Amino acid sequence: MSESSIVEKPEVLEEFDWDTLRKASLFPGGFGEDRIKLWPKLLNVRDGAQQDLSVFDELPSHTDERQIRLDTDRSFVLYPVDARDDKESLQVELNRLLVAIFRKRPKLNYFQGYHDIISVLFLTLPPEIQFSCAEKMSLHRVRDSMGHGLEPILGLLRVTQKLLRLADSSYAELLERRVNVNSPLPFYALSNLITLFSHDMPTLQLIQHVFDYLLCRPPIVIVYLATAIILSRKDEIRRLEEEDEEGMMHSLLSGLPNITDESPSLEESIVKTEDDASSSAGTLDQEQPKSQTSAGDKFPGVSVKEGPCGESTAIPASTGTPSSPSSYSLCESSRHALQKPSITLTSLLLQADRLYETYPPSHPSLALSSIMGPQSVMFTWSSSPSDLPSDDSAERMVDYPQLIVYPYVEEDGDQKEKRKGPRHRRLLKRRPRFRLRDRKTMITGAVLALGVAMAVYGVRSGIVYGEGRHTNFHFHRDWKRLGGWASGFLIGAGNKILHIGDAS
């Protein structure tokens, strides 16, 4: 379609059409007010499926309720921003919702960051369907993280690592050399993968749009979106490398760029993968048509309005025109990181889709089926309700972690050398000497990033497995392993700096 064509956002039809919804989710504002009726359908919640939470008051307490209370007591930090909202009452209501879920589904285990995910549903949907939607989200989309250990999220880090190598091998090599010092796994993506971006997105309208995108696609798409964001920060990482500020790379990648939900301009450059950069150039030009029709145009189920910041809207041709989001200002997201380069959410979502098309989950080099097991949500989810496991079956799946993710085996030295090749060795020889300021920065950044990751996204100990037996996949083993990686990282960095200091 030529740039002179006017592209319209697909109508939200009464008959469920996944392709139409996926296209609509790419536009600024996402589903807008229609998400209230679309999210329950995307989560396979039946019409009229209301739940009285008082029926769970008499059920036995779940072992994680203390941690749930601690987390809900510090929820709603970034949003909502409306001063009329009583934060304490919202926290009480959210806590009651979470407790009800775990009392009904006692085999599920709470993980820190889960409350961030459910808070998005809580702030978006009417009270009468919040429980049913949260239950479906837990059982069929984030269930892998609700078992007895951290292995499933480590599996997604392995898939992310492979996708980065496929998308941009030289950039992935840089990250593994300079950021992932002791392990090639991209631990800076941990927060985004485990919380579906709900912990770090700065505004409600942004995370609502992200959920629009995620909920109408398979669960594995979270890896593609996380990778798209990592790729979007390539220039910033290269700049840090040139300025000998490598210690700040992990901190930068652990956060998000300045994401706006405004329309991309016609000239905006969207990050391209290494292999498809040249071939996709023409396609991208075609995907950036002229601005949309006037603000007065209307479509059934989708309102087309001028952006709240007064901007004109240019829409990718493969999608449609934007709808307005709910009652929060889209301008707010631009106030959170004025010093960072801005990127539109639409650009990131388009890049994630492009990665998915180029390197689908079935791509042999991605090795998804060799990493995640047959009972992972990556394989049990389906857009067809008849192909989904029952809710009770899905709950029981957490009792079999060996069928959710396969054991992690790190590459041996020969494999690493073969993959990196002579170019990597030449780069190492040209590596600049560290100044004293760089050494301090490197250690400070590493301690801060790893400390925050381990403090915020831990899981509780004392999990009971099966018939009263304590699992071998509980808190202490998982965090001992992560602690070992963290310690190795810091020790390795310290030894390297001491060695350089002695040489100088």
Side-chain angles (χ1 to χ4, degrees):
M1 186 176 292
S2 66
E3 289 186 1
S4 60
S5 303
I6 298 299
V7 182
E8 298 177 352
K9 184 173 183 174
E11 298 178 5
V12 176
L13 305 174
E14 290 300 324
E15 184 179 350
F16 217 55
D17 185 332
W18 287 86
D19 289 337
T20 298
L21 290 176
R22 286 167 182 166
K23 291 176 182 178
S25 71
L26 296 170
F27 286 74
F31 297 153
E33 295 178 357
D34 290 307
R35 63 175 56 98
I36 293 176
K37 64 181 179 181
L38 289 176
W39 284 9
K41 292 181 179 180
L42 291 169
L43 290 167
N44 194 33
V45 172
R46 299 189 308 273
D47 291 338
Q50 301 183 17
Q51 181 69 65
D52 180 8
L53 300 188
S54 64
V55 301
F56 303 111
D57 292 342
E58 302 303 321
L59 292 181
S61 299
H62 192 281
T63 56
D64 291 337
E65 288 186 20
R66 180 178 177 275
Q67 185 62 54
I68 293 171
R69 169 62 68 184
L70 291 173
D71 285 353
T72 54
D73 283 349
R74 52 177 176 254
S75 57
F76 306 121
V77 174
L78 295 178
Y79 42 76
V81 295
D82 194 332
R84 293 171 297 178
D85 292 316
D86 182 349
K87 183 176 293 187
E88 289 187 5
S89 65
L90 290 176
Q91 292 170 345
V92 170
E93 293 174 23
L94 177 62
N95 180 78
R96 189 165 186 241
L97 173 61
L98 296 182
V99 167
I101 292 170
F102 286 95
R103 288 190 179 186
K104 182 179 180 182
R105 299 292 175 185
K107 289 183 179 294
L108 300 182
N109 295 281
Y110 179 81
F111 63 89
Q112 287 182 287
Y114 174 81
H115 72 291
D116 292 312
I117 297 173
I118 303 304
S119 69
V120 180
L121 304 181
F122 175 79
L123 292 172
T124 303
L125 302 173
E128 59 269 19
I129 59 172
Q130 290 171 359
F131 178 88
S132 298
C133 290
E135 181 185 24
K136 293 290 188 181
M137 173 76 88
S138 305
L139 292 171
H140 300 289
R141 284 199 165 262
V142 297
R143 184 186 68 242
D144 288 358
S145 297
M146 305 186 76
H148 301 294
L150 294 174
E151 284 85 355
I153 197 64
L154 297 181
L156 290 188
L157 288 173
R158 290 154 62 189
V159 178
T160 304
Q161 171 199 56
K162 291 181 178 294
L163 183 57
L164 276 170
R165 291 174 178 176
L166 286 170
D168 192 330
S169 58
S170 62
Y171 180 47
E173 179 185 319
L174 167 64
L175 295 180
E176 292 179 23
R177 275 191 292 115
R178 304 296 175 90
V179 184
N180 314 332
V181 177
N182 198 54
S183 172
L185 295 183
F187 282 101
Y188 43 80
L190 177 66
S191 167
N192 295 332
L193 293 176
I194 200 170
T195 71
L196 308 183
F197 290 93
S198 62
H199 183 76
D200 296 314
M201 278 291 170
T203 65
L204 180 61
Q205 72 272 7
L206 277 173
I207 191 57
Q208 285 174 329
H209 189 177
V210 170
F211 273 39
D212 293 341
Y213 175 83
L214 295 176
L215 291 179
C216 61
R217 288 167 175 78
I220 189 61
V221 80
I222 187 66
V223 168
Y224 291 86
L225 181 54
T227 302
I229 290 180
I230 296 170
L231 291 171
S232 76
R233 316 210 73 177
K234 181 176 179 178
D235 289 344
E236 295 173 87
I237 291 294
R238 292 289 188 190
R239 190 176 303 113
L240 287 176
E241 182 188 30
E242 293 171 359
E243 296 173 356
D244 297 337
E245 295 286 357
E246 296 173 5
M248 300 307 298
M249 290 181 179
H250 194 288
S251 297
L252 183 145
L253 291 170
S254 296
L256 293 175
N258 181 29
I259 301 175
T260 66
D261 205 6
E262 302 170 3
S263 305
S265 64
L266 298 181
E267 297 80 13
E268 180 176 358
S269 175
I270 299 176
V271 179
K272 302 178 181 66
T273 59
E274 182 181 59
D275 293 337
D276 69 354
S278 58
S279 63
S280 64
T283 304
L284 289 178
D285 290 339
Q286 295 176 355
E287 289 179 345
Q288 301 293 332
K290 290 185 178 180
S291 59
Q292 66 176 49
T293 55
S294 66
D297 292 341
K298 300 287 184 180
F299 299 92
V302 178
S303 58
V304 181
K305 299 180 181 179
E306 182 179 0
C309 300
E311 77 282 358
S312 59
T313 305
I315 303 300
S318 60
T319 58
T321 54
S323 67
S324 63
S326 56
S327 59
Y328 294 86
S329 169
L330 293 179
C331 298
E332 290 188 24
S333 59
S334 63
R335 300 185 186 128
H336 286 267
L338 297 177
Q339 303 303 316
K340 294 188 291 186
S342 295
I343 186 168
T344 64
L345 183 55
T346 291
S347 296
L348 293 170
L349 301 182
L350 281 169
Q351 172 66 352
D353 270 4
R354 190 175 298 109
L355 287 170
Y356 189 93
E357 294 170 2
T358 307
Y359 310 107
S362 59
H363 195 287
S365 296
L366 207 57
L368 180 63
S369 60
S370 299
I371 296 174
M372 307 305 294
Q375 290 191 0
S376 166
V377 295
M378 306 304 159
F379 296 113
T380 63
W381 181 88
S382 174
S383 59
S384 173
S386 61
D387 293 332
L388 284 169
S390 69
D391 291 350
D392 291 342
S393 296
E395 181 187 7
R396 288 192 295 269
M397 287 179 181
V398 302
D399 278 341
Y400 303 94
Q402 69 276 13
L403 298 179
I404 297 174
V405 63
Y406 297 123
Y408 173 47
V409 179
E410 272 197 282
E411 294 177 322
D412 59 31
D414 292 339
Q415 287 176 312
K416 291 181 181 179
E417 286 299 317
K418 182 178 180 180
R419 179 172 53 79
K420 292 177 180 176
R423 182 175 179 273
H424 170 67
R425 291 189 290 271
R426 290 197 302 271
L427 287 172
L428 283 179
K429 291 179 181 179
R430 293 200 299 268
R431 185 169 181 174
R433 298 165 69 91
F434 284 99
R435 299 186 297 273
L436 180 60
R437 173 173 58 87
D438 300 318
R439 303 169 194 170
K440 293 179 179 178
T441 302
M442 181 176 181
I443 289 296
T444 302
V447 171
L448 178 62
L450 289 170
V452 169
M454 295 180 70
V456 174
Y457 300 106
V459 293
R460 297 193 65 207
S461 58
I463 301 298
V464 176
Y465 178 63
E467 299 296 327
R469 294 184 293 111
H470 284 276
T471 177
N472 290 327
F473 294 87
H474 56 66
F475 174 88
H476 296 293
R477 194 186 81 173
D478 296 320
W479 285 97
K480 183 177 180 181
R481 178 179 302 158
L482 283 182
W485 281 329
S487 300
F489 174 88
L490 296 176
I491 292 171
N495 288 339
K496 186 178 297 184
I497 291 173
L498 288 174
H499 175 74
I500 294 173
D502 293 340
S504 61

